[in-house]
Amino acid sequence: MLPLSVLDLSVVTTGTKPAAALRNSIDLARHVDGLGYVRYWLAEHHNLASVASPAPDVMIGQIAAVTTHIRVGSGGVMLPNHAPLVVAERFKMLEALFPGRIDLGLGRAPGTDGATAYALRSRLDRREGDDFLERLHELILWQTREFPSGHPYNNVVAMPDDTPLPPIWLLGSSDYSSELAAQVGMGFAFAHHFASHDAIDAMVHYRNRFQPSAWRASPQAILAVAVITADTDDEAEKLAASFDLNRLRRDRGQYLPLPSVEEALAYPYTDAERTSILRNRSRLFVGSPATVQQKLQPLIDASKPDELMVITAVYDHDARKKSYSLLAEAFGLAKPAV
């Protein structure tokens, strides 16, 4: 069966404060570790009232420490916000502490608004524009130690120097990232849950253009999808009401905590808003396990992912855990040996 993974934004709700959302992430990671999920990735977002985690590297360490089997990584580190040396040091440390269980997923967006992005970078770097390729190249050089002769960084060592960087994945929602990941021979993860670009095109493009490298001999592609599963279609639709209202608000630039189901169901939607919700549903798979599998299968068959990474944002934490349990059972995940 297709392996399943988790993408977690540490979602803040109107009834769950940010600190509790972070603790819920740790609890969910423990839960899916016992269900047979293979990967647990944490996102980086800043200045969003709906997302509690701006520092995936911190969360990775916390989650890896309380789990046993699952790989833990970033989905992702937004490289424009960080000096490549800092990223290299922190992920080498994580790899040293949890060998063979860490992933380094990299994104090229700032993960926030312009003012916050400036605040993150203004005292560190005066470069402007998209310098992701430059930063990625530098990050790789901290691993390969192939700085040009006479370069000052030849005298700088990213510690711990006896530990390699963990596997690098490039994250994307467009054809740019799929092309880059193929060219440099790295893993690729496509964000179907918010992308406007066609997921099938990006995934097929990556596989067709992949060039083997020292990082990876063959292509490996993850498809990230938003899923809400419950015992019945009606129950899942009810849980999804929170997502619908939250997404509608996000489209207006209102990044608020996730509302309760009761608030969402009581909201007086206009016809135009209902049309917008239906349009947004193209990026969300809702229903019983059987219904969700049926909806997902055409996308899986066409895009041929090596792994499905699931993000589930619902108001109730126990309902979120159950959604992952039902999905694990539907996909036939094998529980790891104790």
Side-chain angles (χ1 to χ4, degrees), residues 80 104 117 126 248 286 324:
L104 174 52
R126 296 297 181 183
L248 188 66
V286 180
Y324 281 108

Side-chain angles (χ1 to χ4, degrees), residues 43-79:
E44 175 187 343
H45 289 284
H46 302 271
N47 193 34
L48 292 181
S50 56
V51 180
S53 176
D57 53 328
V58 175
M59 289 298 293
I60 288 168
Q62 294 295 311
I63 287 174
V66 300
T67 53
T68 304
H69 309 283
I70 201 164
R71 297 187 66 92
V72 191
S74 55
V77 166
M78 299 295 104
L79 196 53

Side-chain angles (χ1 to χ4, degrees), residues 253-312:
Q254 301 172 353
Y255 292 87
L256 302 174
L258 190 71
S260 69
V261 170
E262 292 73 19
E263 180 184 351
L265 292 176
Y267 186 88
Y269 296 99
T270 65
D271 290 342
E273 288 172 334
R274 293 187 185 281
T275 299
S276 180
I277 286 172
L278 287 175
R279 186 169 57 250
N280 288 330
R281 279 297 189 94
S282 66
R283 293 191 287 265
L284 176 65
F285 299 89
V286 180
S288 68
T291 297
V292 165
Q293 271 196 308
Q294 184 180 30
K295 291 179 177 179
L296 278 170
Q297 200 59 51
L299 179 61
I300 292 171
D301 291 342
S303 62
K304 295 179 171 57
D306 296 290
E307 191 175 311
L308 204 64
M309 182 167 278
V310 178
I311 177 171
T312 298

Side-chain angles (χ1 to χ4, degrees), residues 31-42:
H31 179 66
V32 299
D33 187 39
L35 293 175
Y37 283 79
V38 299
R39 216 177 297 273
Y40 196 102
W41 280 6
L42 291 308

Side-chain angles (χ1 to χ4, degrees), residues 9-16 18 47-52 242-260 263 267 313 315:
L9 271 64
S10 301
V11 174
V12 181
T13 76
T14 54
T16 306
N47 193 34
L48 292 181
S50 56
V51 180
S242 295
F243 175 94
D244 291 336
L245 178 56
N246 189 252
R247 181 71 199 197
L248 188 66
R249 288 170 170 170
R250 283 186 59 189
D251 290 345
R252 298 170 177 166
Q254 301 172 353
Y255 292 87
L256 302 174
L258 190 71
S260 69
E263 180 184 351
Y267 186 88
Y315 183 82

Side-chain angles (χ1 to χ4, degrees), residues 47 110 112-120:
N47 193 34
T112 189
D113 59 275
T116 307
Y118 182 83
L120 286 164

